[in-house]
PDB file of all heavy atoms in Angstrom:
ATOM      1  N   VAL A 260     253.798 202.410 -63.835  1.00 97.00           N
ATOM      2  CA  VAL A 260     254.692 203.534 -63.830  1.00 97.00           C
ATOM      3  C   VAL A 260     254.889 203.965 -62.372  1.00 97.00           C
ATOM      4  O   VAL A 260     253.902 204.220 -61.684  1.00 97.00           O
ATOM      5  CB  VAL A 260     254.108 204.719 -64.672  1.00 97.00           C
ATOM      6  CG1 VAL A 260     255.035 205.920 -64.654  1.00 97.00           C
ATOM      7  CG2 VAL A 260     253.825 204.238 -66.125  1.00 97.00           C
ATOM      8  N   LEU A 261     256.143 204.002 -61.955  1.00 97.00           N
ATOM      9  CA  LEU A 261     256.397 204.328 -60.540  1.00 97.00           C
ATOM     10  C   LEU A 261     256.580 205.837 -60.383  1.00 97.00           C
ATOM     11  O   LEU A 261     257.318 206.460 -61.158  1.00 97.00           O
ATOM     12  CB  LEU A 261     257.612 203.557 -60.053  1.00 97.00           C
ATOM     13  CG  LEU A 261     257.287 202.103 -59.652  1.00 97.00           C
ATOM     14  CD1 LEU A 261     256.588 201.289 -60.725  1.00 97.00           C
ATOM     15  CD2 LEU A 261     258.492 201.365 -59.129  1.00 97.00           C
ATOM     16  N   VAL A 262     255.826 206.365 -59.398  1.00 97.00           N
ATOM     17  CA  VAL A 262     255.814 207.810 -59.191  1.00 97.00           C
ATOM     18  C   VAL A 262     256.209 208.055 -57.694  1.00 97.00           C
ATOM     19  O   VAL A 262     256.224 207.130 -56.904  1.00 97.00           O
ATOM     20  CB  VAL A 262     254.406 208.381 -59.466  1.00 97.00           C
ATOM     21  CG1 VAL A 262     254.025 208.171 -60.941  1.00 97.00           C
ATOM     22  CG2 VAL A 262     253.329 207.777 -58.548  1.00 97.00           C
ATOM     23  N   PRO A 263     256.556 209.283 -57.327  1.00 97.00           N
ATOM     24  CA  PRO A 263     256.944 209.555 -55.941  1.00 97.00           C
ATOM     25  C   PRO A 263     255.856 209.069 -54.961  1.00 97.00           C
ATOM     26  O   PRO A 263     254.665 209.194 -55.246  1.00 97.00           O
ATOM     27  CB  PRO A 263     257.129 211.070 -55.891  1.00 97.00           C
ATOM     28  CG  PRO A 263     257.478 211.412 -57.309  1.00 97.00           C
ATOM     29  CD  PRO A 263     256.683 210.516 -58.163  1.00 97.00           C
ATOM     30  N   PRO A 264     256.275 208.585 -53.769  1.00 97.00           N
ATOM     31  CA  PRO A 264     255.320 208.071 -52.809  1.00 97.00           C
ATOM     32  C   PRO A 264     254.355 209.170 -52.370  1.00 97.00           C
ATOM     33  O   PRO A 264     254.731 210.335 -52.222  1.00 97.00           O
ATOM     34  CB  PRO A 264     256.166 207.608 -51.635  1.00 97.00           C
ATOM     35  CG  PRO A 264     257.519 208.318 -51.814  1.00 97.00           C
ATOM     36  CD  PRO A 264     257.651 208.550 -53.274  1.00 97.00           C
ATOM     37  N   GLY A 265     253.093 208.801 -52.258  1.00 96.00           N
ATOM     38  CA  GLY A 265     252.061 209.735 -51.822  1.00 96.00           C
ATOM     39  C   GLY A 265     251.488 210.607 -52.900  1.00 96.00           C
ATOM     40  O   GLY A 265     250.599 211.417 -52.668  1.00 96.00           O
ATOM     41  N   THR A 266     251.978 210.462 -54.146  1.00 97.00           N
ATOM     42  CA  THR A 266     251.510 211.312 -55.247  1.00 97.00           C
ATOM     43  C   THR A 266     250.631 210.570 -56.248  1.00 97.00           C
ATOM     44  O   THR A 266     250.042 211.217 -57.120  1.00 97.00           O
ATOM     45  CB  THR A 266     252.686 211.943 -56.042  1.00 97.00           C
ATOM     46  OG1 THR A 266     253.429 210.928 -56.708  1.00 97.00           O
ATOM     47  CG2 THR A 266     253.605 212.732 -55.091  1.00 97.00           C
ATOM     48  N   GLY A 267     250.548 209.247 -56.159  1.00 97.00           N
ATOM     49  CA  GLY A 267     249.791 208.466 -57.134  1.00 97.00           C
ATOM     50  C   GLY A 267     248.321 208.834 -57.194  1.00 97.00           C
ATOM     51  O   GLY A 267     247.681 208.646 -58.226  1.00 97.00           O
ATOM     52  N   GLY A 268     247.812 209.403 -56.118  1.00 96.00           N
ATOM     53  CA  GLY A 268     246.414 209.840 -56.075  1.00 96.00           C
ATOM     54  C   GLY A 268     246.055 210.814 -57.197  1.00 96.00           C
ATOM     55  O   GLY A 268     244.852 210.949 -57.525  1.00 96.00           O
ATOM     56  N   ALA A 269     247.028 211.465 -57.758  1.00 97.00           N
ATOM     57  CA  ALA A 269     246.781 212.396 -58.899  1.00 97.00           C
ATOM     58  C   ALA A 269     246.162 211.653 -60.061  1.00 97.00           C
ATOM     59  O   ALA A 269     245.497 212.232 -60.889  1.00 97.00           O
ATOM     60  CB  ALA A 269     248.047 213.062 -59.321  1.00 97.00           C
ATOM     61  N   CYS A 270     246.358 210.324 -60.121  1.00 96.00           N
ATOM     62  CA  CYS A 270     245.809 209.505 -61.230  1.00 96.00           C
ATOM     63  C   CYS A 270     244.520 208.808 -60.896  1.00 96.00           C
ATOM     64  O   CYS A 270     243.950 208.143 -61.749  1.00 96.00           O
ATOM     65  CB  CYS A 270     246.875 208.477 -61.620  1.00 96.00           C
ATOM     66  SG  CYS A 270     248.437 209.197 -62.214  1.00 96.00           S
ATOM     67  N   ASP A 271     244.005 209.006 -59.667  1.00 94.00           N
ATOM     68  CA  ASP A 271     242.718 208.415 -59.317  1.00 94.00           C
ATOM     69  C   ASP A 271     241.617 208.928 -60.201  1.00 94.00           C
ATOM     70  O   ASP A 271     241.619 210.083 -60.623  1.00 94.00           O
ATOM     71  CB  ASP A 271     242.366 208.782 -57.831  1.00 94.00           C
ATOM     72  CG  ASP A 271     243.074 207.890 -56.856  1.00 94.00           C
ATOM     73  OD1 ASP A 271     243.495 206.762 -57.247  1.00 94.00           O
ATOM     74  OD2 ASP A 271     243.190 208.319 -55.639  1.00 94.00           O
ATOM     75  N   GLY A 272     240.688 208.053 -60.502  1.00 94.00           N
ATOM     76  CA  GLY A 272     239.492 208.461 -61.300  1.00 94.00           C
ATOM     77  C   GLY A 272     239.693 208.403 -62.800  1.00 94.00           C
ATOM     78  O   GLY A 272     238.777 208.792 -63.540  1.00 94.00           O
ATOM     79  N   ILE A 273     240.854 207.984 -63.268  1.00 96.00           N
ATOM     80  CA  ILE A 273     241.107 207.899 -64.699  1.00 96.00           C
ATOM     81  C   ILE A 273     240.761 206.525 -65.170  1.00 96.00           C
ATOM     82  O   ILE A 273     241.207 205.530 -64.559  1.00 96.00           O
ATOM     83  CB  ILE A 273     242.564 208.266 -65.043  1.00 96.00           C
ATOM     84  CG1 ILE A 273     242.878 209.695 -64.571  1.00 96.00           C
ATOM     85  CG2 ILE A 273     242.825 208.104 -66.533  1.00 96.00           C
ATOM     86  CD1 ILE A 273     244.343 210.096 -64.715  1.00 96.00           C
ATOM     87  N   LEU A 274     239.979 206.395 -66.219  1.00 94.00           N
ATOM     88  CA  LEU A 274     239.592 205.103 -66.735  1.00 94.00           C
ATOM     89  C   LEU A 274     240.786 204.236 -67.082  1.00 94.00           C
ATOM     90  O   LEU A 274     241.719 204.693 -67.739  1.00 94.00           O
ATOM     91  CB  LEU A 274     238.731 205.344 -68.022  1.00 94.00           C
ATOM     92  CG  LEU A 274     238.059 204.116 -68.625  1.00 94.00           C
ATOM     93  CD1 LEU A 274     237.030 203.543 -67.609  1.00 94.00           C
ATOM     94  CD2 LEU A 274     237.339 204.493 -69.895  1.00 94.00           C
ATOM     95  N   GLY A 275     240.769 203.005 -66.591  1.00 96.00           N
ATOM     96  CA  GLY A 275     241.866 202.075 -66.861  1.00 96.00           C
ATOM     97  C   GLY A 275     243.052 202.242 -65.971  1.00 96.00           C
ATOM     98  O   GLY A 275     244.100 201.612 -66.209  1.00 96.00           O
ATOM     99  N   VAL A 276     242.970 203.083 -64.942  1.00 97.00           N
ATOM    100  CA  VAL A 276     244.092 203.349 -64.047  1.00 97.00           C
ATOM    101  C   VAL A 276     243.747 202.948 -62.621  1.00 97.00           C
ATOM    102  O   VAL A 276     242.631 203.185 -62.121  1.00 97.00           O
ATOM    103  CB  VAL A 276     244.466 204.846 -64.082  1.00 97.00           C
ATOM    104  CG1 VAL A 276     245.496 205.174 -63.038  1.00 97.00           C
ATOM    105  CG2 VAL A 276     244.916 205.223 -65.496  1.00 97.00           C
ATOM    106  N   ARG A 277     244.711 202.298 -61.960  1.00 97.00           N
ATOM    107  CA  ARG A 277     244.578 201.923 -60.574  1.00 97.00           C
ATOM    108  C   ARG A 277     245.858 202.331 -59.885  1.00 97.00           C
ATOM    109  O   ARG A 277     246.948 202.140 -60.414  1.00 97.00           O
ATOM    110  CB  ARG A 277     244.386 200.402 -60.457  1.00 97.00           C
ATOM    111  CG  ARG A 277     243.898 199.939 -59.148  1.00 97.00           C
ATOM    112  CD  ARG A 277     243.654 198.444 -59.204  1.00 97.00           C
ATOM    113  NE  ARG A 277     244.981 197.824 -59.415  1.00 97.00           N
ATOM    114  CZ  ARG A 277     245.256 196.601 -59.070  1.00 97.00           C
ATOM    115  NH1 ARG A 277     244.350 195.829 -58.561  1.00 97.00           N
ATOM    116  NH2 ARG A 277     246.469 196.142 -59.285  1.00 97.00           N
ATOM    117  N   VAL A 278     245.751 202.884 -58.685  1.00 98.00           N
ATOM    118  CA  VAL A 278     246.906 203.379 -57.961  1.00 98.00           C
ATOM    119  C   VAL A 278     247.231 202.378 -56.841  1.00 98.00           C
ATOM    120  O   VAL A 278     246.349 202.027 -56.059  1.00 98.00           O
ATOM    121  CB  VAL A 278     246.697 204.803 -57.393  1.00 98.00           C
ATOM    122  CG1 VAL A 278     247.896 205.241 -56.586  1.00 98.00           C
ATOM    123  CG2 VAL A 278     246.423 205.781 -58.512  1.00 98.00           C
ATOM    124  N   LEU A 279     248.499 201.946 -56.749  1.00 97.00           N
ATOM    125  CA  LEU A 279     248.963 201.052 -55.712  1.00 97.00           C
ATOM    126  C   LEU A 279     249.849 201.887 -54.779  1.00 97.00           C
ATOM    127  O   LEU A 279     250.906 202.359 -55.200  1.00 97.00           O
ATOM    128  CB  LEU A 279     249.743 199.889 -56.297  1.00 97.00           C
ATOM    129  CG  LEU A 279     249.025 199.098 -57.375  1.00 97.00           C
ATOM    130  CD1 LEU A 279     249.918 198.020 -57.953  1.00 97.00           C
ATOM    131  CD2 LEU A 279     247.739 198.502 -56.865  1.00 97.00           C
ATOM    132  N   SER A 280     249.440 202.016 -53.539  1.00 97.00           N
ATOM    133  CA  SER A 280     250.227 202.762 -52.553  1.00 97.00           C
ATOM    134  C   SER A 280     250.284 201.913 -51.318  1.00 97.00           C
ATOM    135  O   SER A 280     250.361 200.696 -51.402  1.00 97.00           O
ATOM    136  CB  SER A 280     249.572 204.126 -52.296  1.00 97.00           C
ATOM    137  OG  SER A 280     250.423 204.964 -51.588  1.00 97.00           O
ATOM    138  N   HIS A 281     250.221 202.524 -50.117  1.00 96.00           N
ATOM    139  CA  HIS A 281     250.362 201.775 -48.865  1.00 96.00           C
ATOM    140  C   HIS A 281     249.372 200.613 -48.835  1.00 96.00           C
ATOM    141  O   HIS A 281     248.237 200.736 -49.210  1.00 96.00           O
ATOM    142  CB  HIS A 281     250.118 202.726 -47.663  1.00 96.00           C
ATOM    143  CG  HIS A 281     251.240 203.663 -47.415  1.00 96.00           C
ATOM    144  ND1 HIS A 281     252.425 203.280 -46.889  1.00 96.00           N
ATOM    145  CD2 HIS A 281     251.349 204.991 -47.712  1.00 96.00           C
ATOM    146  CE1 HIS A 281     253.248 204.315 -46.807  1.00 96.00           C
ATOM    147  NE2 HIS A 281     252.608 205.388 -47.310  1.00 96.00           N
ATOM    148  N   GLY A 282     249.899 199.467 -48.411  1.00 96.00           N
ATOM    149  CA  GLY A 282     249.056 198.268 -48.293  1.00 96.00           C
ATOM    150  C   GLY A 282     249.116 197.399 -49.506  1.00 96.00           C
ATOM    151  O   GLY A 282     248.556 196.296 -49.491  1.00 96.00           O
ATOM    152  N   TYR A 283     249.705 197.849 -50.588  1.00 97.00           N
ATOM    153  CA  TYR A 283     249.860 197.052 -51.808  1.00 97.00           C
ATOM    154  C   TYR A 283     251.302 196.642 -51.988  1.00 97.00           C
ATOM    155  O   TYR A 283     252.222 197.302 -51.489  1.00 97.00           O
ATOM    156  CB  TYR A 283     249.380 197.828 -53.028  1.00 97.00           C
ATOM    157  CG  TYR A 283     247.919 198.032 -53.085  1.00 97.00           C
ATOM    158  CD1 TYR A 283     247.355 199.215 -52.528  1.00 97.00           C
ATOM    159  CD2 TYR A 283     247.066 197.118 -53.680  1.00 97.00           C
ATOM    160  CE1 TYR A 283     245.967 199.381 -52.562  1.00 97.00           C
ATOM    161  CE2 TYR A 283     245.690 197.315 -53.739  1.00 97.00           C
ATOM    162  CZ  TYR A 283     245.170 198.465 -53.181  1.00 97.00           C
ATOM    163  OH  TYR A 283     243.802 198.663 -53.247  1.00 97.00           O
ATOM    164  N   GLN A 284     251.511 195.574 -52.771  1.00 97.00           N
ATOM    165  CA  GLN A 284     252.839 195.137 -53.176  1.00 97.00           C
ATOM    166  C   GLN A 284     252.845 194.920 -54.645  1.00 97.00           C
ATOM    167  O   GLN A 284     251.820 194.623 -55.278  1.00 97.00           O
ATOM    168  CB  GLN A 284     253.234 193.871 -52.442  1.00 97.00           C
ATOM    169  CG  GLN A 284     253.357 194.048 -50.927  1.00 97.00           C
ATOM    170  CD  GLN A 284     253.889 192.770 -50.272  1.00 97.00           C
ATOM    171  OE1 GLN A 284     254.218 191.791 -50.901  1.00 97.00           O
ATOM    172  NE2 GLN A 284     253.912 192.796 -48.948  1.00 97.00           N
ATOM    173  N   LEU A 285     254.044 195.050 -55.239  1.00 96.00           N
ATOM    174  CA  LEU A 285     254.211 194.880 -56.670  1.00 96.00           C
ATOM    175  C   LEU A 285     255.344 193.845 -56.887  1.00 96.00           C
ATOM    176  O   LEU A 285     256.352 193.892 -56.250  1.00 96.00           O
ATOM    177  CB  LEU A 285     254.625 196.223 -57.323  1.00 96.00           C
ATOM    178  CG  LEU A 285     254.729 196.275 -58.820  1.00 96.00           C
ATOM    179  CD1 LEU A 285     253.394 195.972 -59.468  1.00 96.00           C
ATOM    180  CD2 LEU A 285     255.215 197.667 -59.225  1.00 96.00           C
ATOM    181  N   LEU A 286     255.102 192.905 -57.814  1.00 95.00           N
ATOM    182  CA  LEU A 286     256.074 191.908 -58.159  1.00 95.00           C
ATOM    183  C   LEU A 286     257.107 192.515 -59.095  1.00 95.00           C
ATOM    184  O   LEU A 286     256.739 193.045 -60.154  1.00 95.00           O
ATOM    185  CB  LEU A 286     255.377 190.733 -58.841  1.00 95.00           C
ATOM    186  CG  LEU A 286     256.195 189.466 -59.098  1.00 95.00           C
ATOM    187  CD1 LEU A 286     256.637 188.838 -57.740  1.00 95.00           C
ATOM    188  CD2 LEU A 286     255.414 188.494 -59.915  1.00 95.00           C
ATOM    189  N   VAL A 287     258.389 192.484 -58.733  1.00 93.00           N
ATOM    190  CA  VAL A 287     259.431 193.057 -59.521  1.00 93.00           C
ATOM    191  C   VAL A 287     260.580 192.048 -59.716  1.00 93.00           C
ATOM    192  O   VAL A 287     260.849 191.217 -58.839  1.00 93.00           O
ATOM    193  CB  VAL A 287     259.992 194.373 -58.895  1.00 93.00           C
ATOM    194  CG1 VAL A 287     258.927 195.409 -58.782  1.00 93.00           C
ATOM    195  CG2 VAL A 287     260.635 194.084 -57.563  1.00 93.00           C
ATOM    196  N   PRO A 288     261.249 192.118 -60.865  1.00 90.00           N
ATOM    197  CA  PRO A 288     262.383 191.241 -61.101  1.00 90.00           C
ATOM    198  C   PRO A 288     263.577 191.707 -60.248  1.00 90.00           C
ATOM    199  O   PRO A 288     263.860 192.891 -60.147  1.00 90.00           O
ATOM    200  CB  PRO A 288     262.737 191.442 -62.574  1.00 90.00           C
ATOM    201  CG  PRO A 288     261.680 192.310 -63.179  1.00 90.00           C
ATOM    202  CD  PRO A 288     260.939 192.922 -62.066  1.00 90.00           C
ATOM    203  N   THR A 289     264.217 190.712 -59.605  1.00 84.00           N
ATOM    204  CA  THR A 289     265.447 191.046 -58.814  1.00 84.00           C
ATOM    205  C   THR A 289     266.474 189.992 -59.126  1.00 84.00           C
ATOM    206  O   THR A 289     266.218 188.825 -58.883  1.00 84.00           O
ATOM    207  CB  THR A 289     265.131 191.042 -57.302  1.00 84.00           C
ATOM    208  OG1 THR A 289     264.535 189.773 -56.936  1.00 84.00           O
ATOM    209  CG2 THR A 289     264.236 192.167 -56.903  1.00 84.00           C
ATOM    210  N   PRO A 290     267.607 190.379 -59.660  1.00 82.00           N
ATOM    211  CA  PRO A 290     267.989 191.690 -60.175  1.00 82.00           C
ATOM    212  C   PRO A 290     267.195 192.032 -61.435  1.00 82.00           C
ATOM    213  O   PRO A 290     266.505 191.139 -61.989  1.00 82.00           O
ATOM    214  CB  PRO A 290     269.477 191.579 -60.458  1.00 82.00           C
ATOM    215  CG  PRO A 290     269.671 190.116 -60.743  1.00 82.00           C
ATOM    216  CD  PRO A 290     268.644 189.376 -59.918  1.00 82.00           C
ATOM    217  N   PRO A 291     267.295 193.263 -61.921  1.00 79.00           N
ATOM    218  CA  PRO A 291     266.512 193.720 -63.048  1.00 79.00           C
ATOM    219  C   PRO A 291     266.607 192.841 -64.304  1.00 79.00           C
ATOM    220  O   PRO A 291     265.678 192.751 -65.072  1.00 79.00           O
ATOM    221  CB  PRO A 291     267.005 195.120 -63.317  1.00 79.00           C
ATOM    222  CG  PRO A 291     267.575 195.574 -62.032  1.00 79.00           C
ATOM    223  CD  PRO A 291     268.128 194.351 -61.356  1.00 79.00           C
ATOM    224  N   GLU A 292     267.743 192.175 -64.489  1.00 79.00           N
ATOM    225  CA  GLU A 292     267.929 191.376 -65.692  1.00 79.00           C
ATOM    226  C   GLU A 292     267.093 190.125 -65.676  1.00 79.00           C
ATOM    227  O   GLU A 292     266.919 189.434 -66.692  1.00 79.00           O
ATOM    228  CB  GLU A 292     269.411 190.920 -65.837  1.00 79.00           C
ATOM    229  CG  GLU A 292     270.435 191.975 -65.782  1.00 79.00           C
ATOM    230  CD  GLU A 292     270.715 192.497 -64.374  1.00 79.00           C
ATOM    231  OE1 GLU A 292     270.982 191.665 -63.441  1.00 79.00           O
ATOM    232  OE2 GLU A 292     270.661 193.701 -64.196  1.00 79.00           O
ATOM    233  N   HIS A 293     266.556 189.760 -64.525  1.00 82.00           N
ATOM    234  CA  HIS A 293     265.790 188.499 -64.376  1.00 82.00           C
ATOM    235  C   HIS A 293     264.291 188.679 -64.533  1.00 82.00           C
ATOM    236  O   HIS A 293     263.509 188.280 -63.708  1.00 82.00           O
ATOM    237  CB  HIS A 293     266.099 187.873 -63.017  1.00 82.00           C
ATOM    238  CG  HIS A 293     267.477 187.278 -62.964  1.00 82.00           C
ATOM    239  ND1 HIS A 293     267.728 185.948 -63.094  1.00 82.00           N
ATOM    240  CD2 HIS A 293     268.681 187.863 -62.802  1.00 82.00           C
ATOM    241  CE1 HIS A 293     269.006 185.743 -63.023  1.00 82.00           C
ATOM    242  NE2 HIS A 293     269.608 186.885 -62.869  1.00 82.00           N
TER     243      HIS A 293
END
C-alpha cells in the first residue's frame, strides 16, 4: 500500500508489516496493464 513519502513509519512495529522508504525499490508494472 503506497502512502505519502516520509509517513510509512506510522506502520512500524506492526506484526507482518515492513516499511519501504529511502534506500528501497519496489518492482512495479509499467505500464499498469502489464
